[in-house]
Structures are given as C-alpha cells and as structure tokens.
Amino acid sequence: MPLLEPKPGALRPHGIGGPSPDRLPEWRAGGTPEPLRGDLTELLGAEKVLWKASDLVRYASDASPYRFVPQVVVVAEDLDDVSAVLSYAHGHDREVVFRAAGTSLNGQAQGEDVLVDVRRHWSGIEVLDGGHRARILPGTTVARANAALARHGRVLGPDPASALACTLGGVVANNSSGMTAGTSRNAYRTLSSLTFVLPGGTVVDTADPLADEELARAEPALCRGLMEIKREIEADPELVARIRAKYAIKNTTGYRLDAYLDGTTPVEVLRGLMVGSEGTLGFLAELVFDTLPLDRHACGALLFFPSLPAAAAAVPLFNEAGARAVEVMDGNTLRASVSVAGVPADWSRLPKDTTALLVEFRAPDEAGLAEYERRAAAVLARLELVAPVPSVANAFTRDAATLHGHWTARKAFVTAVGGARAPGTTLITEDFAVPPTRLAEACGALLALQAEHGFDAAVAGHAAHGNLHFLLAFDAAREADVARYAAFMEAFCRLTVERFDGSLKAEHSTGRNMAPFLELEWGPKATELMWRTKRVVDPDGLLAPRILLDRDPQAHLRGLKTIPRVEAVADPCIECGFCEPTCPSKDLTTTPRQRIVLRREMVRQQPGSRVLDELLGSYAYDAVDTCAGDSTCMLACPVGIDTGALMKEFRHRRHGRREERAAEFAARHFAAVEGAARLAVAAAGTVSGIGGDRLLEAVTGAARRAVRPDLVPQWLPRLPGAAARRLPATPRVGAAAVYFPACINRIFGGPEGERGPSLPEAVVTVSERAGKPLWIPPDVAGTCCATIWHSKGYDAGNRVMADRIVAAAWSWTAGGRLPLVVDASSCALGIAREVVPYLTDENRALHADLTVVDSVVWAARELLPRLAVRRTAGSAVLHPTCSMRHLGTEGALREVAGACAREVVVPDDAGCCAFAGDRGMLHPELAASATRREAAEVAGRGFDAYLSANRMCEVGMERATGRPYRSVLVELERATRP
C-alpha cells in the first residue's frame, strides 16, 4: 500500500438523492456487454472501444434535455473504422449514431446502441483557392476554421452562437445557420461538395466527376428510388410550390425536400439531402465550403425598447437599411446575462418587459460603412427607445471592444439563461421561424401562450430572419411538470403552423423533441416522402433511428433527463459543451462537462449501488488526477463554472491528515525544500549524463509506487538542468520595481545547450538597459506563489505560503509603493489572485496595496518604449500560457515577441500544455495528449525562435515538439543587446 494512500470514499457525493427514475440500472454496472465489447475490440483495437460504465455515462448527455446511454462508444480514427462499424452493425442488427461536439440541442448526438465519436481524430482544415474555398474535416470547430480563413480575409457562411465548440460536421448535419446566415449563407447554400459514407458502406465524393457512375454501380436501388421520388415531386405543381414556400424562411424541419428540385442526379440530390439529415442518411467525412468575404469594417448598437413586440416592429426598418444582423433579447435574457463577464451589472434592474435589439452593419471598406451609418441614423431617429438603467447608450459605435461585449451577451443566451434556471430543472431550447413581417405578432402570441401554461420563458433570436429561440425550464422528475410541458408543446406547434405557417425548427434541426410534430408542419404527403427517402437510403434503419423521424406522438417526452443537485460550483451547468475544446484532457480522459455529468449520475444512484462504485472507481484518475487545473474551462463557460477548482477541491478531500501535515511542513520549510530540489535536479543531470535516463526513471518509479503516483513526479528525458546557485546581485537603491524570480526559475535552468544569460539575468539586464532597474530581495529563497499547494488541494500549506508571500512582498515593495515583477505568468496569477481566499484578514489588507506585474507586461509597458532593437529573428512561434488568458496578457506577449521577430505566429491549435507545474511529470500522458495538435502545427514548418513565458510550459512544449522553447524576455535581451 502506498505511504500516502488517498482517503477512501472521499469522492463519494455527500447527498446522494437517488434512486432517480433515469439512473443507469444496476445491470449496466459492468459497462458494454459481451459479445459486443469483444467483437468491436477485435475489429478495431482496444484503444478505440470505450466500454466502462463511466465511458457510457459521460457520452450519454449533450446540450439537449434528453439523455440516452449508449451500449458502447467507438472512437473512430478514419474511414476504415467507420466502414467497419457500419458493416458490423449491418451484420448484427445494431444501430449507429455519430457524435462530434455534442452541442446539439435536440438529442441528435445521443444513441442507445453504438455511438461513434467523430471529433477526436477528425479535425483539420485545408485552405483552397486563396481562401475562397476550404476543405474541412467534420470534427473541426467553426471558430478553428474561421481562424484559418481570417488570414485570407474570408469566413464561413454559417455562424452559430456555439462556434467556439460546435463542429462543422454538426453544422452541416443540422443545417445550423446563426446570426447572419439566414437562408442564403447557410450550409445548404455554401457547401460546395462533400464526401460521405452511406449506410451500406459506399463512399461518395460529390466533387468527383465519376461519382454518379460509381454510385449507380454500387447502389442501383438507391439511385432508382431517389429519382422516382424526384419525378413524383416534380409532377405535382402544388407540392413544388409548397416546398419552395417552406424554404423561403429558415426551416430545418425534416429532410430538405428541395434537394429533389435543386439536384438533377442522384449524387446532387444526396448532396442536398445530407444537409440537415442529422446523421440519419450517412456519415459526413469531409466538407468543402465556398467561403464569403470577411467584411472587417463594422458598426453596431444595442437598442432598448419597452417591450418585445415594440422591438420586433423595428426589425423591418433595419432590414431595409441593410443590417447584416438584427438580434433580439428579451428582459429575461438581458437580466440573466449579468452572469457573463463584461455585461453591465445594472442590467439586473431592467424592467420585466424591456427588450433589446443588437443591430450590426458590416462593409468591406470605409465608404460602405459610412453609408450604413447614415442609414442607421435615419432609422434611429424614427424609434422610441428607452434607457431604464445608466449603462444603456442606445447609440451606434465602431468600438470593437463594445461590439464584442454586445455579442458576448447575445451568444451566451442559452447558457446564461440556463445557468440562472431554478436548481434541479431541465432546460428546453425551442427554435422556430415565422415570416419576418409577422415577427411582432408572433412575439405577442408567444408571450400569451407562455403565460397561459405557466412559463416565464426567455426569448432571443435572429429577428432579421423571423427566427426566435426561447427557453423553458421544468422538473423532468415531476409528472405534473412534464404534462405541463407537453401541453405547451402541443399548443405551441399548432400556433406556429396553423396561425403563422411557420417552421417548427428554423436552425436547430428536427431532433427528438420535434419529430412527432413533423406531419403537423409538412402534411401527410410530404412527410411520407421523407419516410420514403429514409427507406431508400437506409433500408435497414441502421442510422440514428428516432432522431428525425418518429411516429410515436409522445416521443418528445421520452428520455427527458433529470438534473440532480451536485456541488454548488457545478450545479448551474446545462451540459452545453462550450468548455470542451479548451480542456487539456479532452482526448485522454474526460472534459469539464463530462466530469459534471458523471457527478450527476452518482447522485442519481442509491447508496450501495454497483454503478456508483464503478463510477467512483474510475473518477479518481479520469476526472480528478488528469485535470490540469488550468481553469480555462471557466473562461469558456458563459456562466463561469470553474471545474478545475472543483477538481482541486476533490484532491483536497482525498488527503489524509498525514498528507496535509506533510504538505504544510514543506511550506513552512520551503527554503530547505527549494535548495534540495535544485541539488536534486543538478544531481539528476549528472546521473543522466553518466548512466542515461533509465536509472532515474527506475528510481522515481519506485518512489511513486511507495508514496503515490499522483504525488511523486516521474523523471522525464529532456528536463532542463539546474539553475545557477546565486541570483544576480542587484542594488535596492534606485530600483524601479521589485523582481521576484519564481521558484521554478530558481530551481530549473534554461533549455539544454542554450548559451547566454539565464532568465533572471536577462530580466535584470534588459530592465537596467531600459533605465528601469530591478531589485531582487536577498530573502526570496523559501517564498513561492503558493500554486504548488493550491493546485494539489493542500489547504493548510496553501495558507502558510500565501500569507508568507504576501507579507514578504508588502515589505519588499515598501508597502506597495513599488510594483512586484514576477517572471512566470502562472506565479503572477497566483500572487495577484489565487492567494486571496487563503489569506488572513490582515494579509488580505496588505495584498490590496500590492501591484503585481507579469514580467511580459513589464517588458511591453515599461521596457519596449525605452529600448532600441538591434537585431531580430526572422520568425518566432509563441505558446501563450493559460495563465495569460486569465490575466488578459496575451497581447503583451505578442507585442514583446513582435519586437524580437519579423514574423510572429500563434498556432491556431495553441492551448494549455497541461504541464501545470509538475502535473506533466505526474501524468506525462496528459501533457502529451494536450499538446498533440499544437505540436503538429508547430512541426509543420521551422521557426527561428520558440517563445513563451513560463518555464514549465516551455519544458512541456520542448518535450512535445523537440524544439528549444525559452522565455520571450531572454529573446528580448538578445534583440536589444548592444
């Protein structure tokens, strides 16, 4: 048994509320049953088959109100894997659902049998024709694709609010559009070609001139069936007119029947049908988009009206003026948005009926924007606006920061409102469209219907296109609440269709909650053509059954998920998945959303449950140990849920008294610990040079087994050598600031073989050169930012070191009169923010006097204006650290690097390296997984300099790329050296 064994049962939820009716049943505690597990393992390999109960549970939720637990999860790596799964499913009567980001709002990413993950290995973009086209893999997020296109002045047409998280495969499968796409810029209109795999395994590239010939040879019955449906539709003028009319407004209900009118061959028809098919007709393996100009000149305004109908009445005026976007947010949405960073706090005091329009004009040049501003001013003069709180300006602006703030509030609609819902309630997101000229009438009718059924919903949407979204919250565990929701849905669907001839789904696609109402909107003839389409393409019903087509009138009430109460920090989570792209462990173990989903399943269980025991057994490593603790999930989450902080709390819960005392002892005697660590690094370097790395790996491996693997770092090749024993000598008199070299820079040196000054020497030298001399206190040894203890959940040690560093810094800086410059971004974050909750009242008061400055910010603000750059590198690639994202200092890193190199590149796939102090040494597999995509991008070309601003992040990137990363401050010293 390890010396410091985790406290047993520490991760067991305190208040298990089960048994919940939708809990995972006991018989599923063993995970995927045989022979399914064994068959797929033999077919694909063990690493591609996820079978544990925890795997199945974490894939059972998406951003919708539904929850279906798969039998098995397959992580497909390529087309061969997809074809193998489809072939196996055909031979064994299985069902298959494809899942990418899991941001779908209607249960499209959930399956009850074989679920195939097509995100992890399916990301990538190839820019074509100077940016006018782009070939994109389906697991690529919209934001990632647009980042690559922006360098060419181009952008994709679809622009969903979930662009940071949703993938292009899902965008096409659902025909998602967004704020500005409307009916002309959506996936159906801008998709040039695609490659897909049919249920029978046939691969079709619609851009291939021989595609129809090959398809006719491989799937003759399918080709005949499609052409028969096409001829039948074209022979019915009334049906043709109906189809064209339905797509005059936004509509994603059912299959795209206009594909039969727009396509002339089976391949062309299939190309159209695949858009919005929700994975029911085939797997979308590759997408080629026609891109659009990225009009960089913009102006916009957030305009406040006394009511929703009043705001809706103004929409046609802005449409006529040429607005690119006209978005509506009602009072509930505006008030809930105060939870989003940057949204004015006084919005919480807005009157109940207040509604805002977010209006934006975009143009390719200055003259075009000026003309739009003239038109906007003319419309503005005709409106009766209100300003119920001081922050309301009701004016158009070009200020990019202001516009970004407006859009942040708008895009957070679902998550912000969902986060503010009553605890324990399930969130339903509805999405419909009416003719834009009838928007005001529809708004009034919707509000009346909500009131009639006892809902106080939040409303927002793409008003320019007559497309509204609204959110309902109810308790899925209460039959009365479910019945109320069912009655509302029936009335809402009839209202939309019978009064407004609208679309029941405008851009979120049919999904499970609208499938029962498909015939209500389309009528029996068109609906039967959709069923025939499914039978022609997928005669065995293999793909995604019950997601788009379902004859059960109660299907939308099946699988509604309960939301049991969990830890307060995580309880607002609506499982939207916005946090997942930024998570370092997403391709290794779990994501923040999945950590919370698993926690909720534990609470659904009853005491003594085998499922609970299985989940707890996996949670320690999959969730707690492999969380980097960087908390970038908090930045991505619109309601600021810090899952990283929760995992640190769980680490604390696992500590026994002996372990906490040992950590506190280390904090109280850190000067000795620090000295011993530097000597150990120096000795290890000597041993490694003599006997290689195997001896050190064996020694640290034995220590890890004796103490605990999550506490003792593993020796890794390419670790840097020891830092110099002494820091540079600096006088206190005349110092412009106090310099605190982080303990990591007092222990580890620079890259192996690196010539020139150490980081402390470089910082001191370049500051002196700029006339801003620094003073290093003689007693910095034994002090630390406390992140070592904070990241591991050692509260007692954290408090000791937090109080020590703040008291020392206050003394060093003469009571805060001088700034404290810190040479590691994570340490700057630690001292500036993270120590505060652990301070005594006295030291918290001292902390308020301190000015903590990241050394990169110091260089950008104080040094660069006073330095002469004498030599520059040709190119530099940057690794911005996650601490910089929290501090908002990425711009300073770019600025300093820009002075040192003629070309500065930040990889599109840059993210947290997960080295996280020593976590990359505790779990090297975490860092390797987290850096895989960024490292591949960096390796794609050579650079003259590899720069960052945190030594352990630099070590992590060195290990990932084999390139010598160093501090941008060292490069700045070189660039300005006389």
Side-chain angles (χ1 to χ4, degrees):
M1 178 181 293
L3 180 64
L4 297 177
E5 184 74 8
K7 200 162 32 174
L11 298 180
R12 192 174 295 272
H14 294 316
I16 296 178
S20 175
D22 62 338
R23 70 190 183 281
L24 191 70
E26 284 287 286
W27 63 268
R28 302 200 62 181
T32 301
E34 296 290 0
L36 179 60
R37 175 186 165 190
D39 287 349
L40 290 176
T41 299
E42 182 178 355
L43 182 67
L44 302 167
E47 71 282 359
K48 297 177 184 178
V49 179
L50 305 181
W51 59 270
K52 295 186 300 182
S54 61
D55 295 326
L56 308 183
V57 167
R58 64 190 173 96
Y59 274 93
S61 292
D62 58 13
S64 79
Y66 298 100
R67 181 171 177 270
F68 292 96
V69 182
Q71 293 288 327
V72 68
V73 177
V74 171
V75 182
E77 190 169 337
D78 50 32
L79 277 179
D80 287 343
D81 288 344
V82 172
S83 296
V85 169
L86 293 177
S87 177
Y88 177 84
H90 269 292
H92 294 80
D93 195 26
R94 314 295 309 203
E95 299 171 353
V96 177
V97 170
F98 297 106
R99 175 188 177 115
T103 56
S104 59
L105 296 167
N106 300 305
Q108 298 99 313
Q110 298 179 39
E112 299 172 76
D113 195 3
V114 180
L115 187 69
V116 183
D117 181 324
V118 290
R119 177 196 60 81
R120 185 179 303 184
H121 298 294
W122 298 83
S123 178
I125 174 173
E126 179 186 1
V127 177
L128 307 170
D129 302 335
H132 284 75
R133 291 190 309 139
R135 179 177 288 109
I136 308 172
L137 294 179
T140 309
T141 65
V142 176
R144 172 66 177 85
N146 279 335
L149 290 169
R151 290 191 286 273
H152 302 271
R154 308 292 292 183
V155 70
L156 294 174
D159 62 337
S162 57
L164 285 171
C166 70
T167 61
L168 269 303
V171 166
V172 174
N174 294 298
N175 197 21
S176 307
S177 47
M179 276 71 68
T180 65
T183 58
S184 61
R185 296 162 60 103
N186 61 19
Y188 187 80
R189 299 299 177 192
T190 61
L191 191 66
S192 173
S193 67
L194 73 159
T195 299
F196 54 85
V197 185
L198 290 168
T202 302
V203 179
V204 180
D205 177 359
T206 65
D208 184 349
L210 300 178
D212 272 297
E213 181 181 327
E214 294 173 356
L215 181 63
R217 191 161 47 244
E219 305 261 6
L222 183 150
C223 293
R224 286 195 303 271
L226 292 178
M227 290 298 98
E228 288 172 4
I229 295 174
K230 174 179 171 62
R231 287 191 292 271
E232 186 174 328
I233 291 175
E234 291 176 334
D236 188 338
E238 184 179 343
L239 180 59
V240 170
R242 177 63 177 159
I243 290 171
R244 292 301 188 193
K246 288 296 291 178
Y247 294 111
I249 63 173
K250 294 174 72 171
N251 190 325
T252 60
T253 313
Y255 291 126
R256 289 280 315 205
L257 291 181
D258 57 346
Y260 287 105
L261 303 176
D262 297 334
T264 59
T265 70
V267 167
E268 290 178 1
V269 170
L270 278 172
R271 174 247 170 247
L273 284 172
M274 287 294 168
V275 180
S277 63
E278 304 177 56
T280 62
L281 301 181
F283 167 61
L284 308 182
E286 185 179 271
L287 317 160
V288 179
F289 277 91
D290 292 322
T291 66
L292 300 168
L294 176 59
D295 294 332
R296 299 183 186 275
H297 297 262
C299 71
L302 196 61
L303 308 174
F304 287 74
F305 296 81
S307 68
L308 182 57
V315 172
L317 303 177
F318 286 111
N319 283 346
E320 292 168 8
R324 176 70 59 85
V326 185
E327 298 289 298
V328 64
M329 294 180 281
D330 78 340
N332 285 342
T333 301
L334 294 167
R335 287 186 293 275
S337 296
V338 298
S339 63
V340 178
V343 171
D346 62 5
W347 284 13
S348 64
R349 304 196 304 274
L350 287 169
K352 182 179 186 302
D353 295 331
T354 302
T355 302
L357 289 182
L358 171 52
V359 183
E360 184 172 273
F361 293 86
R362 300 193 74 90
D365 52 37
E366 175 66 29
L369 187 62
E371 171 59 21
Y372 280 136
E373 287 177 324
R374 186 192 65 76
R375 297 182 193 179
V379 173
L380 206 58
R382 299 168 57 185
L383 302 178
E384 294 185 8
L385 303 174
V386 296
V389 293
S391 68
V392 172
N394 285 330
F396 279 86
T397 179
R398 295 187 180 190
D399 181 67
T402 301
L403 293 177
H404 176 74
H406 294 340
W407 280 110
T408 298
R410 167 61 190 91
K411 291 179 180 180
F413 163 61
V414 172
T415 46
V417 174
R421 75 195 187 287
T425 57
T426 299
L427 190 70
I428 299 279
T429 305
E430 294 301 343
D431 154 55
F432 72 107
V434 299
T437 55
R438 300 189 67 185
L439 181 65
E441 181 187 356
C443 288
L446 175 63
L447 293 176
L449 189 66
Q450 290 173 354
E452 179 184 341
H453 290 269
F455 288 109
D456 186 17
V459 179
H462 318 308
H465 310 292
N467 177 196
L468 291 180
H469 308 313
F470 62 92
L471 304 179
L472 305 174
F474 66 94
D475 188 345
R478 295 182 59 221
E479 289 186 14
D481 253 21
V482 173
R484 181 166 61 102
Y485 164 66
F488 172 84
M489 280 298 295
E490 180 74 24
F492 161 71
C493 290
R494 294 199 173 278
L495 172 74
T496 301
V497 171
E498 295 171 358
R499 179 169 169 182
F500 296 100
D501 194 19
S503 306
L504 292 175
K505 283 296 178 186
E507 62 176 0
H508 294 167
S509 214
T510 314
R512 297 178 183 273
N513 64 330
M514 208 52 72
F517 302 98
L518 181 62
E519 187 170 331
L520 173 66
E521 175 174 340
W522 276 99
K525 185 170 188 177
T527 302
E528 186 53 37
L529 289 173
M530 294 181 189
W531 278 97
R532 279 177 59 191
T533 297
K534 172 68 170 174
R535 289 194 295 270
V536 165
V537 179
D538 183 17
D540 296 327
L542 177 79
L543 295 181
R546 300 173 295 282
I547 285 179
L548 189 149
L549 297 171
D550 199 325
R551 298 193 191 276
D552 179 3
Q554 301 295 308
H556 60 303
L557 305 179
R558 175 175 171 264
L560 291 169
K561 67 183 173 189
T562 61
I563 305 292
R565 299 286 298 272
V566 291
E567 286 76 12
V569 65
D571 204 52
C573 177
I574 64 166
E575 302 174 9
C576 67
F578 282 26
C579 57
E580 294 193 336
T582 192
C583 179
S585 60
K586 63 181 178 292
D587 292 337
L588 179 69
T589 50
T590 58
T591 67
R593 168 169 62 177
Q594 292 174 338
R595 289 174 168 95
I596 296 171
V597 164
L598 288 166
R599 203 69 185 160
R600 284 174 171 162
E601 180 58 37
M602 293 179 196
V603 177
R604 290 189 184 100
Q605 298 295 320
Q606 58 188 345
S609 159
R610 283 182 56 224
V611 171
L612 176 59
D613 291 341
E614 288 291 332
L615 296 180
L616 286 169
S618 299
Y619 201 76
Y621 176 78
D622 288 350
V624 181
D625 293 346
T626 53
C627 174
D630 66 319
S631 293
T632 53
C633 52
M634 179 182 70
L635 302 178
C637 176
V639 292
I641 295 174
D642 189 349
T643 312
L646 180 60
M647 295 304 108
K648 293 170 189 173
E649 167 60 24
F650 286 164
R651 288 171 190 166
H652 173 66
R653 290 188 194 177
R654 290 196 298 171
H655 298 157
R657 283 182 295 178
R658 180 167 55 178
E659 189 175 340
E660 279 286 335
R661 285 199 299 268
E664 182 180 4
F665 180 87
R668 294 190 182 281
H669 301 87
F670 189 62
V673 171
E674 176 188 334
R678 199 200 68 80
L679 287 174
V681 171
T686 301
V687 172
S688 177
I690 297 172
D693 294 311
R694 288 188 177 180
L695 175 60
L696 292 168
E697 290 171 355
V699 171
T700 56
R704 284 161 63 84
R705 290 188 295 273
V707 180
R708 197 169 98 215
D710 200 50
L711 293 179
V712 178
Q714 178 178 326
W715 173 259
L716 301 175
R718 297 187 64 90
L719 280 178
R725 292 184 61 188
R726 298 184 184 278
L727 292 166
T730 54
R732 182 170 190 172
V733 176
V738 176
Y739 172 28
F740 177 68
C743 66
I744 203 69
N745 294 320
R746 306 194 305 260
I747 295 171
F748 286 104
E752 183 178 354
E754 179 89 357
R755 294 183 178 182
S758 66
L759 175 59
E761 289 169 340
V763 173
V764 168
T765 300
V766 77
S767 296
E768 180 72 33
R769 191 176 292 155
K772 289 284 188 175
L774 299 175
W775 172 60
I776 301 176
D779 56 343
V780 293
T783 57
C784 171
C785 65
T787 300
I788 296 173
W789 292 268
H790 176 64
S791 66
K792 290 176 167 50
Y794 290 118
D795 279 10
N798 193 7
R799 294 180 190 282
V800 168
M801 190 54 71
D803 282 326
R804 181 185 299 168
I805 185 59
V806 168
W810 192 86
S811 174
W812 295 334
T813 61
R817 284 191 285 275
L818 292 176
L820 182 73
V821 176
V822 184
D823 65 4
S825 56
S826 59
C827 301
L829 176 66
I831 299 173
R833 299 182 189 174
E834 292 177 345
V835 299
V836 175
Y838 300 92
L839 297 172
T840 63
D841 291 342
E842 179 182 357
N843 282 327
R844 192 172 289 118
L846 300 183
H847 185 274
D849 295 333
L850 298 179
T851 301
V852 181
V853 181
D854 188 315
S855 58
V856 177
V857 176
W858 170 256
R861 291 179 184 170
E862 303 295 335
L863 307 186
L864 277 183
R866 298 173 174 85
L867 290 169
V869 175
R870 301 176 183 275
R871 60 192 65 80
T872 56
S875 62
V877 64
L878 304 185
H879 174 73
T881 70
C882 45
S883 297
M884 288 179 170
R885 290 187 58 194
H886 286 283
L887 292 168
T889 58
E890 290 172 285
L893 178 67
R894 288 175 182 262
E895 187 177 351
V896 177
C900 303
R902 294 184 293 279
E903 179 193 11
V904 175
V905 174
V906 177
D908 290 334
D909 285 317
C912 177
C913 68
F915 221 80
D918 65 352
R919 191 138 301 263
M921 300 167 71
L922 297 170
H923 297 287
E925 70 280 10
L926 173 62
S929 178
T931 55
R932 178 175 59 88
R933 292 180 185 174
E934 182 179 356
E937 193 175 345
V938 171
R941 57 163 289 189
F943 294 93
D944 298 312
Y946 300 82
L947 307 176
S948 190
N950 186 292
R951 189 68 197 105
M952 297 317 290
C953 296
E954 292 156 17
V955 171
M957 290 308 299
E958 284 174 18
R959 286 184 50 77
T961 64
R963 307 297 199 275
Y965 276 77
R966 60 178 176 268
S967 171
V968 71
L969 273 297
V970 173
E971 188 67 18
L972 180 64
E973 191 283 323
R974 188 197 72 85
T976 59
R977 192 181 302 162

